[in-house]
Amino acid sequence: MKTSFLKAGHTPSLIAAFLYFDVSFMVWVLMGPLAVQISKDLGLDAAQKGLMVAIPVLAGAILRVINGVAVDYLKPKLTGILCQVVVILGLIAAWYFGLHTYGQTLLVGIVLGLAGASFAIALPLASRWYPPEHQGTALGIAGAGNSGTVFAALFAPSLAVAFGWNNVFGLVAIPLVIVLGAYSVMAKDSPDCPPPKSLASYFSVLKIGDAWWFMFFYSVTFGGFVGLASSLSIYFNDQYGLSPVVAGYCTAACVFAGSLVRPVGGAVADRIGGIKSLSVMYAVATCAFAIVSFGLPAAWMALGVFVVGMLALGMGNGAVFQLVPQRFRREIGVMTGIVGMTGGLGGFYLASSLGYSKQLTGSYQTGFLVFAGLAFVALLGLSGVKKRWRTTWGAASLSAARI
């Protein structure tokens, strides 16, 4: 790592942002790896399973906007502490009282959504410490906390077999408590935090067309990532008859690929420009989703294609947030919340649509094909705006950062 990067920001805060993001994402997608066991005990159909794993994603999307505003009023550190306490208490309540109905699983999903909203806290905490030329790397490192989804997919099914799926909610509260302690000590708010604005002024960014483009672009990259992280355990179990544990391992491999390369995506975008790198990622993702939609004959084949697709989506996540702080540096808190919200909405769409596609047509093909189409539309949209971006707001920062 470049010495200039290490000197530019506040490393303990960057590490704290990563850890907080990591365990929060582990909890956010917890319903996905547990879905096979939960649906069996509660007698859920394909559509109910899809909605159950999608509700935390939807709740996280909405709550990201609230957290994006809260980080300016309360600062990132305090906002993170308060949210983490609520999530921990919700997990303990779910473990102590148990989940006995489908409605109760949806309520817990809303609480888990608050963990997903950590995105709008961790990224501003890290971003405000770093100059434009290091935004891609810094936010890539902090955003690599989405690797927490790997731990959920890797360990939750096995813990459910060993201790019962309801006890998993209590077990995952333990690392959250440990990380909360570390976060409280290590995190420090940047002195460059912007002063709070009126609520109306926060959403004035929605009058800017570029904000909507970023929202759409991230709904595809992050939406695809978190949607697959929530749904692949169900997919591998249903499509190929894999056991919940083996399906979890396959999901973990895919998610690990996507989360591992997010910092790489940010660093590559710093080097060659976010537009160029993001264009390649959308092209690869389009092809991967289209191929997998046809139901490959063997699980290992599907696994290989999903890994390629997740690599593209993961790098795309890093590339999007190499661009956002350059265009909206003073509004990074609310933009992180708004852009993160649409990423969550994309994940909600993918997770729920796969369930409904299976329920209505008997196949997952329609759900995957539509998402492949969205990735292709994003590629076309990026091609349409790149010249204007490079000659307007991008031109002012060419000496420090590339777009």
Side-chain angles (χ1 to χ4, degrees):
M1 188 177 293
K2 292 182 179 179
T3 304
S4 61
F5 174 80
L6 295 175
K7 293 180 178 179
H10 189 252
T11 302
S13 291
L14 181 60
I15 296 173
F18 166 78
L19 292 174
Y20 170 57
F21 198 16
D22 199 54
V23 295
S24 295
F25 259 49
M26 174 186 70
V27 171
W28 189 27
V29 300
L30 190 61
M31 285 296 190
L34 297 178
V36 175
Q37 291 103 318
I38 293 175
S39 60
K40 180 179 179 181
D41 286 354
L42 299 184
L44 308 183
D45 60 31
Q48 289 175 319
K49 284 191 287 185
L51 186 59
M52 179 180 66
V53 302
I55 282 294
V57 181
L58 176 62
I62 296 171
L63 290 169
R64 284 180 177 192
V65 178
I66 298 173
N67 279 354
V69 176
V71 294
D72 281 349
Y73 278 87
L74 303 177
K75 303 296 177 62
K77 180 175 181 176
L78 178 58
T79 305
I81 291 172
L82 293 176
C83 290
Q84 195 77 316
V85 169
V86 173
V87 172
I88 291 170
L89 292 177
L91 288 169
I92 293 174
W95 163 72
Y96 184 79
F97 294 104
L99 303 181
H100 308 289
T101 67
Y102 177 58
Q104 290 174 346
T105 65
L106 298 183
L107 289 175
V108 171
I110 295 174
V111 176
L112 300 184
L114 185 58
S118 62
F119 176 91
I121 301 169
L123 266 64
L125 175 66
S127 174
R128 289 171 177 172
W129 281 105
Y130 291 87
E133 63 268 28
H134 293 306
Q135 285 292 317
T137 303
L139 293 186
I141 292 173
N146 58 27
S147 60
T149 54
V150 176
F151 300 123
L154 197 60
F155 298 116
S158 298
L159 291 173
V161 171
F163 302 104
W165 58 263
N166 194 80
N167 288 324
V168 175
F169 292 106
L171 291 172
V172 298
I174 297 173
L176 263 67
V177 171
I178 296 173
V179 169
L180 177 60
Y183 177 88
S184 300
V185 173
M186 298 172 65
K188 182 180 179 182
D189 294 316
S190 169
D192 194 34
C193 287
K197 309 173 185 177
S198 67
L199 291 179
S201 64
Y202 277 105
F203 298 102
S204 63
V205 295
L206 295 178
K207 298 177 182 178
I208 303 173
D210 290 344
W212 290 93
W213 279 116
F214 283 128
M215 290 160 65
F216 175 60
F217 293 152
Y218 202 63
S219 73
V220 176
T221 58
F222 184 77
F225 174 84
V226 75
L228 290 176
S230 300
S231 304
L232 282 182
S233 292
I234 297 174
Y235 177 82
F236 280 115
N237 173 262
D238 187 61
Q239 186 78 6
Y240 299 104
L242 304 183
S243 70
V245 174
V246 175
Y249 290 157
C250 291
T251 303
C254 297
V255 174
F256 178 75
S259 59
L260 180 69
V261 297
R262 180 163 183 156
V264 178
V268 169
D270 278 341
R271 180 173 293 272
I272 69 172
I275 292 175
K276 184 182 295 184
S277 60
L278 195 54
S279 297
V280 175
M281 305 315 157
Y282 281 135
V284 173
T286 299
C287 295
F289 276 103
I291 291 171
V292 83
S293 71
F294 291 97
L296 297 173
W300 67 267
M301 296 180 183
L303 177 61
V305 176
F306 277 126
V307 167
V308 172
M310 289 291 258
L311 286 170
L313 294 173
M315 293 189 71
N317 289 334
V320 170
F321 270 91
Q322 185 262 356
L323 294 169
V324 172
Q326 296 184 58
R327 177 64 176 86
F328 296 99
R329 181 159 181 80
R330 299 302 298 178
E331 302 90 359
I332 186 62
V334 70
M335 279 301 298
T336 299
I338 292 174
V339 174
M341 175 197 70
T342 53
L345 290 177
F348 170 78
Y349 163 75
L350 179 60
S352 59
S353 67
L354 288 177
Y356 282 109
S357 176
K358 178 66 175 179
Q359 181 80 2
L360 297 175
T361 68
S363 168
Y364 294 100
Q365 184 176 38
T366 302
F368 283 124
L369 279 178
V370 172
F371 211 81
L374 290 174
F376 183 68
V377 172
L379 176 60
L380 294 179
L382 189 61
S383 299
V385 300
K386 64 181 181 181
K387 182 177 180 180
R388 177 174 60 81
W389 283 7
R390 285 171 173 162
T391 57
T392 54
W393 57 268
S397 61
L398 284 178
S399 60
R402 304 189 66 179
I403 73 160

